[in-house]
Amino acid sequence: MVVDLKPFPSHMTTMDVLDAKALKIFMAVARIGSIRGAAEHMGLAPSVVSRQIADTEREIGLALFERTARGTVLTDAGELVLEHGKRVLEDNGLLAEQLDQIRGVQQTRIRIRCGEGFMADLVEHGLSSFSRAHSYVRYIVELGSTEDVVDAIANSDADIGIAYTPLTDPRIRALAIARQPLCVIAPIGHALASRTGLKLADCLTSPCAMLGKGNGVTQIVARVAADAGMALAPLLETHSIEVLRRFVASGLGVTFLPRTAVSGEIDRGVMQAVDLEDPLLREASAHLMVRAHRRLPLSVEKLGQHLAQEMQSFKA
């Protein structure tokens, strides 16, 4: 498809070009990476999506996407418009909440994306007390790997994220960071529990279960193993921490998690956590995150402060 790119009229702004419909379609294509995929997601004909993108590019005077055999890739102009779109959506949400407060309507929704290991702490120590004081707030809570959480926050698909050892990302701002060393989680009486100065390399000869790719635990374990010249060869891979717990409880082998992820099982004497001496594992941490450079709605700001203070994962 050839797009006739004419100069961007001096009186026209990006907001003039990107009305609500155009913005919604553009961001769907940017997120999914193809016009056909975005059309299916939105329940539209691909020709409608393609025509809207072409119209927007024509009015702006710049290509927003590079068309490839695999789909669409954002141009530099497209990246700028995507960031603009995120700000528009966030500002609209902020304005809606402020107007509702003036109207006396106290109902809002907060989207949370977190790792499975934080879920019990989030609900029991965070949301339970916050919801009693702010009954007008509703929550959408979704599980995800560390990469999922970071992407959800960066792409404005979630308001608050909680993840383990995320990589540094300029799109993310931390509200709280707390050290949560990575331990080997073993059955009661396991031979590793009696070892002193235990390191990851000492554990990799035992049958182990690991979380799948994209999880902060797996990323940091793989890095330390590679530094020791060893490869990970888990007996079991899963995206579920509950499966890891059952793997250890049944005596099949060991796994690697922060102590807080299995605190209930440790208290019941079902399994034990043994500290590892590898410096990188000792400095692993839990992160409470929001999108950088975003003006937070008051409800999100209040909840973020509350979680930082009340969740066990963020207490020293």
Side-chain angles (χ1 to χ4, degrees):
M1 177 175 59
V2 177
V3 180
D4 179 18
L5 301 181
K6 62 184 180 181
F8 194 179
S10 59
H11 66 278
M12 185 177 292
T13 68
T14 306
M15 275 298 294
D16 294 323
V17 176
L18 287 177
D19 58 21
K21 178 183 176 182
L23 180 60
K24 187 175 181 180
I25 289 176
F26 165 77
M27 294 190 73
V29 176
R31 179 181 304 174
I32 295 171
S34 76
I35 287 175
R36 182 170 296 277
E40 291 177 358
H41 176 73
M42 301 180 72
L44 299 173
S47 60
V48 172
V49 175
S50 180
R51 185 165 56 251
Q52 179 63 75
I53 295 298
D55 288 347
T56 302
E57 290 179 320
R58 187 176 297 108
E59 292 297 334
I60 289 179
L62 293 167
L64 301 177
F65 296 99
E66 292 179 5
R67 278 72 169 176
T68 70
R70 292 187 173 185
T72 57
V73 179
L74 285 168
T75 63
D76 289 344
E79 292 282 1
L80 289 174
V81 174
L82 178 61
E83 289 304 309
H84 166 79
K86 292 176 184 177
R87 290 194 298 271
V88 169
L89 294 179
E90 290 166 355
D91 286 347
N92 286 347
L94 180 62
L95 176 61
E97 180 173 307
Q98 291 170 338
L99 291 176
D100 282 344
Q101 289 173 355
I102 294 174
R103 296 188 190 103
V105 177
Q106 287 194 319
Q107 183 167 330
T108 190
R109 182 185 66 176
I110 300 177
R111 302 162 301 162
I112 304 170
R113 190 74 62 93
C114 75
E116 184 184 354
F118 298 104
M119 183 59 70
D121 191 10
L122 169 67
V123 174
E124 294 170 12
H125 300 111
L127 298 185
S128 61
S129 54
F130 188 82
S131 63
R132 286 193 292 270
H134 304 85
S135 58
Y136 60 91
V137 179
R138 299 294 181 265
Y139 312 92
I140 296 178
V141 181
E142 295 181 300
L143 294 176
S145 68
T146 299
E147 286 184 355
D148 292 334
V149 174
V150 170
D151 286 344
I153 295 297
N155 293 318
S156 299
D157 293 329
D159 301 303
I160 291 176
I162 308 171
Y164 191 66
T165 62
L167 298 176
T168 300
D169 191 316
R171 302 173 298 172
I172 301 299
R173 175 167 66 92
L175 298 180
I177 300 174
R179 194 167 68 89
Q180 293 286 347
L182 194 66
C183 303
V184 56
I185 310 301
I188 297 297
H190 194 279
L192 291 174
S194 61
R195 299 278 297 272
T196 57
L198 192 67
K199 290 193 172 185
L200 177 68
D202 302 321
C203 307
L204 293 181
T205 55
S206 297
C208 71
M210 293 289 302
L211 290 169
K213 293 180 179 179
N215 191 280
V217 169
T218 301
Q219 291 172 340
I220 194 171
V221 168
R223 180 176 169 185
V224 173
D227 290 344
M230 302 182 73
L232 296 180
L235 177 63
L236 181 149
E237 291 185 58
T238 179
H239 289 289
S240 169
I241 289 180
E242 179 59 26
V243 172
L244 298 185
R245 294 188 185 107
R246 292 183 179 274
F247 178 88
V248 175
S250 64
L252 286 172
V254 303
T255 191
F256 306 96
L257 290 168
R259 192 182 302 270
T260 53
V262 291
S263 57
E265 288 78 5
I266 293 173
D267 292 342
R268 295 195 300 271
V270 176
M271 58 190 68
Q272 55 193 336
V274 184
D275 292 331
L276 294 169
E277 296 301 319
D278 305 84
L280 198 59
L281 303 185
R282 289 171 61 89
E283 296 303 318
S285 54
H287 292 237
L288 178 67
M289 305 172 293
V290 295
R291 197 165 89 88
H293 312 301
R294 178 192 176 187
R295 291 190 300 163
L296 297 179
L298 183 60
S299 58
V300 174
E301 186 175 348
K302 285 183 176 179
L303 178 58
Q305 294 172 351
H306 181 84
L307 297 181
Q309 293 172 359
E310 298 300 326
M311 284 183 63
Q312 298 298 309
S313 299
F314 298 105
K315 291 188 176 181

